[in-house]
Amino acid sequence: MSSVLALKRNSTTVRYCFEADPEPGVLPRALELLAKRGLVPNRVFAQTADDALSVEIEVEGLATEIAEHVGRCLGEIVGVRAVF
């Protein structure tokens, strides 16, 4: 199953959703995956509840291959429990 949520407003908008440990380094590491590609997210939402950090990141301008690669990389971040 792809780690990229198939919610697209157009052909280049992708929303990543993941759950992680509520650690201070998780969100910056996730955003770094986009920053090193010169991308700024359209929207970022993060919330802690029940000893978990839930994150949604929406970004435009990613080709399908890159979007899937970023999704796989999100799953490899230390502290990330699941990518949806």
Side-chain angles (χ1 to χ4, degrees), residues 4-5 19 22 28 30 41 43 46 50-52 55 63 65-66 74 77:
V4 178
L5 184 66
E19 182 179 280
R43 187 174 82 85
D50 299 327
D51 195 36
V55 180
E65 307 83 41
I66 300 295
L74 282 171
I77 294 173

Side-chain angles (χ1 to χ4, degrees), residues 21-83:
D21 297 333
E23 299 292 329
V26 172
L27 188 56
R29 282 188 227 115
L31 294 173
E32 180 182 18
L33 293 172
L34 301 172
K36 68 183 184 180
R37 288 169 176 79
L39 298 167
V40 175
N42 291 351
R43 187 174 82 85
V44 177
F45 176 79
Q47 176 177 333
T48 56
D50 299 327
D51 195 36
L53 174 65
S54 298
V55 180
E56 293 182 19
I57 301 172
E58 188 174 288
V59 64
E60 287 186 27
L62 290 177
T64 302
E65 307 83 41
I66 300 295
E68 290 177 1
H69 176 73
V70 169
R72 287 190 300 274
C73 290
L74 282 171
E76 295 175 6
I77 294 173
V78 173
V80 172
R81 299 175 185 173
V83 181

